[in-house]
Amino acid sequence: MMKHRRNSTWKCGWMFFAATVLSALTLAQCIPVNRTFTTDVITLNQLKSSFQSSVGALSSWKGWHPCAEGPARWRGIGCLKDLKKRVAYVDKIDLRGLGLQGTIPRAIGNFKNLRSLDLSNNSLSGKLPLEMAKMMSLKTLILDNNQFTGNVRGLIGIPNLKILSLANNQLFGRLRDVLLDLVMLEHVVLSRNNFKGVLPRSIHLRNLKVFDLSHNQLFGNLPFGLRRSKQLQKLDLSFNNFTGVIPPIWGSLKSLQQLELQNNKLSGPVPPQFAYLPKLKELFLMNNNFSGMLGRAFLTQGIVLGISGNRYLCTDFDSNGRCDARLTTRP
């Protein structure tokens, strides 16, 4: 009887505690946040002054409370509330595809709580300010399909950056420094820029899932260190000037689904262990100098193959014992 009473008391106490916490959370949601952090408001207005739009894309950027609820919220702005201080901080800016022109101001570095910045699919230009490295909370930076120029060294020092997408601009610089510094990267798309040089042999990007450096002017050997990126799903180094062989150790990348190495100057055999990668669906090796026999396992695993333009890479031998590379794809 006493044990049953103690259990009942414990259950009632737990239910009271849970109800109290739920009530507190509900009450907290009702507490109004009537202002946006002043530095964020000033920086947004500097951003507005640097951008131009023929369609009035930023016409809602008025007043001193960008994080206001409802229709008063500034377009493309996401906010993080501090209920204790009753203030909101800008933590997301999404202005993609608004036809914006202009440059990114140096004041961008004043956003201390900004976690995501997406300015893709506009006509923005100029250099990436060095002050971008001051955005210590930034995790996502997407600037694809603009007209940015100059060096990317301003990105060095952003400690928590996970998504870096700068495709289709006119950027250049030492990717070696960026890749060795931003060790938290998961998604890297730097295709269709003007990057040159050699990639570091040891890349310690253990969380990497997407790595696309295609359509640049990179050369040298393929980075051996990518073997550490066990979560890598897409690797695209096509349309560069890489030489040497495919590191056989890449055959340990069990999460790899898509590998594109076409239009380089690579040579040697295709590592046979690639045929047994459990998730590999696409393997594109066209227009290189690969040689040797491509194992029959590649033809029976349902992998989409692209191997044309490799004169000495065989899928079979013809009746005269010569290399036969007529097969270029297999669904």
Side-chain angles (χ1 to χ4, degrees):
M1 183 70 179
M2 291 296 293
K3 183 177 180 181
H4 176 72
R5 185 175 298 174
R6 284 197 299 269
N7 288 341
S8 298
T9 303
W10 182 86
K11 289 179 180 178
C12 290
W14 173 250
M15 291 174 64
F16 177 78
F17 173 76
T20 302
V21 172
L22 182 61
S23 298
L25 291 173
T26 302
L27 180 61
Q29 291 176 351
C30 297
I31 297 175
V33 173
N34 53 19
R35 69 184 183 93
T36 303
F37 186 54
T38 303
T39 300
D40 289 352
V41 180
I42 294 173
T43 306
L44 283 175
N45 277 297
Q46 290 176 305
L47 211 63
K48 180 181 180 182
S49 297
S50 295
F51 294 165
Q52 299 86 44
S53 171
S54 59
V55 295
L58 303 182
S59 59
S60 65
W61 285 28
K62 299 176 181 178
W64 286 89
H65 194 13
C67 296
E69 297 295 338
R73 171 72 63 91
W74 289 16
R75 182 177 188 176
I77 301 301
C79 300
L80 178 67
K81 296 180 180 179
D82 187 329
L83 297 176
K84 185 176 181 180
K85 296 181 180 179
R86 296 183 65 179
V87 66
Y89 299 93
V90 174
D91 76 333
K92 181 179 180 179
I93 299 176
D94 184 353
L95 302 177
R96 54 185 162 176
L98 297 183
L100 299 175
Q101 298 179 337
T103 60
I104 299 177
R106 296 172 58 185
I108 195 79
N110 294 332
F111 285 118
K112 302 306 180 186
N113 297 282
L114 191 66
R115 292 186 290 185
S116 178
L117 176 61
D118 188 344
L119 302 176
S120 60
N121 301 309
N122 284 291
S123 298
L124 299 170
S125 58
K127 298 181 179 180
L128 303 183
L130 295 176
E131 287 76 12
M132 295 185 80
K134 297 180 180 180
M135 295 189 289
M136 306 303 285
S137 299
L138 194 67
K139 294 183 178 181
T140 299
L141 178 61
I142 305 176
L143 304 177
D144 300 333
N145 302 315
N146 280 284
Q147 300 167 23
F148 291 115
T149 59
N151 205 295
V152 293
R153 63 177 179 271
L155 304 179
I156 297 174
I158 306 178
N160 298 307
L161 196 62
K162 293 183 177 182
I163 298 177
L164 176 62
S165 195
L166 310 176
N168 198 22
N169 283 283
Q170 301 169 40
L171 298 165
F172 61 86
R174 284 170 55 91
L175 286 184
R176 175 184 180 85
D177 297 336
V178 174
L179 296 176
L180 291 179
D181 181 78
L182 303 178
V183 296
M184 300 298 291
L185 287 172
E186 297 178 4
H187 186 110
V188 179
V189 179
L190 305 178
S191 57
R192 298 183 184 277
N193 279 284
N194 296 318
F195 294 113
K196 300 180 181 180
V198 178
L199 294 181
R201 178 176 173 81
S202 297
I203 297 179
H204 299 276
L205 299 176
R206 297 185 182 276
N207 301 316
L208 194 62
K209 296 177 181 177
V210 175
F211 195 51
D212 185 350
L213 305 183
S214 62
H215 294 270
N216 280 286
Q217 301 172 51
L218 301 168
F219 54 86
N221 293 329
L222 297 175
F224 183 84
L226 282 177
R227 73 189 191 280
R228 300 184 181 91
S229 303
K230 300 300 184 182
Q231 301 179 58
L232 189 60
Q233 299 172 13
K234 177 182 177 180
L235 175 57
D236 189 348
L237 301 177
S238 62
F239 292 89
N240 280 286
N241 294 300
F242 289 111
T243 54
V245 301
I246 301 176
I249 194 66
W250 283 9
S252 64
L253 297 174
K254 303 298 184 182
S255 297
L256 194 63
Q257 300 176 22
Q258 181 178 346
L259 176 59
E260 299 197 32
L261 299 175
Q262 66 267 31
N263 293 84
N264 280 284
K265 299 176 182 178
L266 298 167
S267 58
V270 178
Q273 53 266 51
F274 277 18
Y276 302 101
L277 289 175
K279 297 184 178 180
L280 188 64
K281 301 298 181 184
E282 298 179 356
L283 177 61
F284 297 134
L285 307 173
M286 299 85 78
N287 302 319
N288 280 283
N289 298 307
F290 292 116
S291 59
M293 172 65 78
L294 195 66
R296 288 192 174 277
F298 283 98
L299 311 179
T300 60
Q301 300 296 325
I303 299 172
V304 177
L305 289 173
I307 61 172
S308 62
N310 291 280
R311 185 176 178 184
Y312 299 109
L313 180 62
C314 304
T315 58
D316 206 343
F317 292 98
D318 64 18
S319 58
N320 296 316
R322 294 175 298 191
C323 180
D324 183 356
R326 288 175 295 177
L327 181 64
T328 57
T329 60
R330 186 177 180 88

